[in-house]
Amino acid sequence: MKNQLVAKILYEIADLLEIKEVEFKPRAYKRAAMAVEALGDDIEDYAKYKNLDDIPGVGESIAKKIKEIIDTGKCLEHERLKKEIPIDFEALLSVEGLGPKTVKLLYKKLLIRNLSDLEKAASAGKIAELEGFGEKSQQDILDGITLAKSKGERMLLDEATAFADDITGKLKELSHITQIEAVGSLRRMKETVGDIDIIAVTRNAKAVAEAARQLDNVQKVYSAGPTKIMLKLRDGPDVDIRIFGEKSYGAALLYFTGSKQHNISLREIAIRKKWKLNEYGIFSGKKQIAGKSEQEVYRKLGLDYMAPELREDRGEIEAARTGNLPRLVEQDEIKGDLHVHTTASDGVSSLQEMVDAAKQLGYAYIGISDHYGSLAIANSMDSKRLAIQHEAIDKINRQSTGIHIFKGAEVNINKNGTLDIEPEVLKKLDYAIISIHSSFRLSQAEQTKRVIRALNHDKARILGHLSARLLFKREPVELDYEAVFKAAKAGNVALEINSFPNRLDLNDSHAKAAKGHGCSFAIDTDSHNAEHLRLMRFGVGTARRGWIETSSVINTWPLKKVADFLG
DNA sequence: GCCGTTTTCGGCCCGACTGTTTTCAGTCG
């Protein structure tokens, strides 16, 4: 997977060109870099099977450079520029407040090439002496260096959600706020979130701005005007808060939800219609002609409403223009959860607790899928313990409590593609979720063969967390995903979209690719605790980012139909 | 360097905030 490398080099070329004050090209390189970052597909596979210049923002010239990076790991043009301007951009630009222009000026005047040069010059008071700088900007640079060094990682979705809920909750206590919502990548349900964006509607912007500054865990206020506050939380993310009037709320939601590229495309449509689109609305001359709601803005632009999860400039605008948007799966259409652990293996809630929690969510069914097998992972069950569990399940099912319990198990796929379960025990299950829990580092060919072989078992009905990645922790396995999707379709096995925030596996782009093969999906939580059942929203969000429609999600189906599917 | 429901040439998103300034350039999202 060289996507990150390609994106990084393209970004650096953009920065270098910007320093050289080349016009327009920096934007082109940045746009291409962003597109590669958002691609999802492995860029090497993409280069093999498709045309690189099909990627929006990539034309003939950049395609060539991408090819060069894939083949050689670098790009001559990039090397040449670096030699010409020997500056450590990544480090310097990571300092809040420093942009290409300032970096260039500091290099020209003080020969600053890296963070340590910068720190020395600022400490020695050299920067304040430069024209256009002062004591304040010099101190800001020193502060920025400290912050850059301690720069927080991106967060998992549930963590970001918790921060956002906390802040919106506190601000809402102010009576002046009529609406408040977390937007940005969090609202788009991107798998990781960098900072928290919040917009609020109020008639008393000043009071809200003041309240934001006074939040108890603020480490630093970057800037605070009457309608925009940017701050950093202690041991937490950066938070941007913007304040709007009611008649701009929709345009503001749209703008700050992004993605950036989606917005730019919308603005270009507005320009073509001789209008202007900004965060306050669509304007014809000085007159606002839309902006109160997102729906209104899209409608005015001649587009169907696009859910936030779709707004990545991955073809949704064209689909919205031509009435071809997918009918996305909704959270309240989920009728059950088919990947749930209990105290019988490594869960911490009992069978009864899980069933009760599922009932509270209004589910019609739940699939209990404790670990089974010889592998010493996760307190796996043996046949005896499974039999005991089945008795308990039968008993609850007989009580006809309004929810049906399926007898499942999560079964490890052995290295050779066989299943880690005795055939006679497998027969006793309603279904098996088959997943990889070991041998993560096989070659792509071996791993693919392993998974496809495992798909052939009758009781294998769901393929669990396929890539086996753990965000921030473990890379996905090497796999020919297209081949696996084909095999899953042929064997009528559902692909899991695991909702656990550090998994989200399939990820959005794999889900979209699988959809292209006509696969069906199971959005599951992999709960190990009754509380975890609520993580379903993150799986649904990921599915929606993958353009997944309700009809292909087996756990939106009624009991009878899903029972037939599981067999 | 990229792109096209005006265009294969001639455009390229838009506004808030800050510091160091007396009107704005740079940065950020």
Side-chain angles (χ1 to χ4, degrees), chain A residues 165-453:
Chain A
D165 287 351
D166 182 48
I167 297 164
T168 52
K170 281 175 181 158
L171 292 180
K172 228 185 291 182
E173 285 170 18
L174 296 162
S175 55
H176 333 280
I177 290 180
T178 51
Q179 307 204 63
I180 186 163
E181 190 157 343
V183 286
S185 52
L186 180 59
R187 183 164 179 243
R188 300 202 312 279
M189 287 281 200
K190 224 178 147 188
E191 61 191 28
T192 61
V193 174
D195 60 5
I196 308 273
D197 300 299
I198 290 171
I199 65 173
V201 172
T202 180
R203 292 219 173 116
N204 190 349
K206 249 186 168 169
V208 176
E210 191 48 36
R213 299 182 68 133
Q214 302 300 326
L215 287 171
D216 49 13
N217 51 344
V218 173
Q219 181 182 344
K220 180 178 172 66
V221 178
Y222 295 117
S223 70
T227 65
K228 174 173 153 181
I229 305 103
M230 298 167 68
L231 47 84
K232 180 183 186 322
L233 296 182
R234 189 164 290 110
D235 298 320
D238 288 352
V239 180
D240 299 344
I241 301 167
R242 291 287 305 258
I243 295 158
F244 288 89
E246 208 154 292
K247 65 181 203 291
S248 294
Y249 189 59
L253 272 178
L254 202 56
Y255 182 68
F256 289 100
T257 297
S259 66
K260 187 173 181 174
Q261 206 49 54
H262 179 89
N263 285 338
I264 290 175
S265 295
L266 293 185
R267 286 177 177 207
E268 284 167 355
I269 292 172
I271 289 169
R272 260 180 251 132
K273 294 181 185 287
K274 308 277 187 222
W275 298 329
K276 181 177 71 171
L277 170 62
N278 59 25
E279 59 264 54
Y280 300 102
I282 301 179
F283 293 85
S284 175
K286 295 212 160 158
K287 189 174 184 300
Q288 191 212 43
I289 55 175
K292 201 167 166 39
S293 72
E294 291 183 319
Q295 284 80 354
E296 185 189 45
V297 173
Y298 279 133
R299 201 180 314 125
K300 202 83 195 172
L301 294 176
L303 302 169
D304 290 342
Y305 176 77
M306 284 164 265
E309 295 93 333
L310 292 178
R311 301 178 195 170
E312 297 289 347
D313 201 28
R314 296 189 208 172
E316 73 279 6
I317 292 176
E318 177 63 13
R321 199 172 59 77
T322 54
N324 288 310
L325 284 172
R327 161 63 179 83
L328 295 180
V329 58
E330 308 265 356
Q331 164 105 41
D332 62 9
E333 292 172 325
I334 299 291
K335 292 196 171 61
D337 193 333
L338 296 170
H339 190 162
V340 171
H341 297 266
T342 73
T343 46
S345 65
D346 60 346
V348 301
S349 299
S350 68
L351 172 64
Q352 190 65 54
E353 286 168 335
M354 281 299 189
V355 172
D356 290 345
K359 250 165 50 179
Q360 267 203 344
L361 291 174
Y363 286 166
Y365 47 86
I366 181 173
I368 301 298
S369 58
D370 276 301
H371 293 281
Y372 186 94
S374 60
L375 208 71
I377 47 160
N379 185 26
S380 294
M381 295 190 297
D382 55 20
S383 61
K384 242 187 203 163
R385 278 158 60 197
L386 185 73
I388 294 170
Q389 183 179 62
H390 281 184
E391 268 179 43
I393 289 175
D394 286 337
K395 194 172 156 198
I396 300 177
N397 274 341
R398 272 198 305 271
Q399 292 166 350
S400 65
T401 51
I403 185 166
H404 180 77
I405 309 170
F406 288 110
K407 296 172 187 164
E410 185 176 12
V411 179
N412 188 50
I413 302 174
N414 292 323
K415 192 174 170 186
N416 63 4
T418 57
L419 296 186
D420 185 14
I421 187 169
E422 306 85 334
E424 66 274 17
V425 180
L426 189 58
K427 278 188 200 134
K428 293 184 177 148
L429 298 173
D430 290 331
Y431 70 101
I433 299 173
I434 57 169
S435 0
I436 293 176
H437 290 113
S438 58
S439 301
F440 301 112
R441 294 181 172 276
L442 298 183
S443 71
Q444 177 172 322
E446 284 175 295
Q447 198 70 273
T448 305
K449 200 173 144 198
R450 172 194 192 186
V451 173
I452 289 177
R453 182 173 178 198

Side-chain angles (χ1 to χ4, degrees), chain A residues 27-195:
Chain A
R27 214 196 102 178
Y29 276 97
K30 258 183 208 147
R31 183 162 183 232
M34 271 193 284
V36 170
E37 244 178 354
L39 192 61
D41 282 326
D42 188 326
I43 189 88
E44 284 180 85
D45 289 345
Y46 201 101
K48 249 184 265 171
Y49 303 121
K50 299 176 197 165
N51 295 321
L52 285 170
D53 58 12
D54 289 345
I55 301 172
V58 175
E60 197 186 332
S61 166
I62 293 184
K64 250 193 204 156
K65 294 190 175 73
I66 294 177
K67 188 79 183 30
E68 187 187 350
I69 297 166
I70 290 173
D71 291 342
T72 68
K74 51 188 183 179
C75 164
L76 287 179
E77 173 75 2
H78 175 234
E79 299 295 318
R80 196 182 61 69
L81 284 165
K82 270 203 302 193
K83 214 170 271 172
E84 193 181 324
I85 311 167
I87 300 180
D88 182 358
F89 283 100
E90 206 183 349
L92 291 175
L93 293 179
S94 73
V95 176
E96 177 78 19
L98 287 196
K101 293 269 167 35
T102 313
V103 167
K104 181 186 179 187
L105 195 136
L106 291 174
Y107 174 64
K108 266 189 148 173
K109 300 272 183 189
L110 298 173
L111 270 181
I112 288 170
R113 298 163 194 252
N114 51 43
L115 271 191
S116 114
D117 291 349
L118 182 68
E119 193 161 16
K120 271 183 223 152
S123 302
K126 295 233 173 84
I127 290 176
E129 292 166 9
L130 293 177
E131 200 184 324
F133 291 77
E135 285 297 331
K136 181 74 170 72
S137 41
Q138 180 167 275
Q139 189 56 46
D140 282 350
I141 285 174
L142 283 170
D143 292 349
I145 293 171
T146 314
L147 275 175
K149 282 180 179 166
S150 71
K151 189 83 181 169
E153 301 273 317
R154 292 179 71 84
M155 294 165 290
L156 296 175
L157 258 184
D158 58 335
E159 193 187 352
T161 303
F163 274 117
D165 287 351
D166 182 48
I167 297 164
T168 52
K170 281 175 181 158
L171 292 180
K172 228 185 291 182
E173 285 170 18
L174 296 162
S175 55
H176 333 280
I177 290 180
T178 51
Q179 307 204 63
I180 186 163
E181 190 157 343
V183 286
S185 52
L186 180 59
R187 183 164 179 243
R188 300 202 312 279
M189 287 281 200
K190 224 178 147 188
E191 61 191 28
T192 61
V193 174
D195 60 5

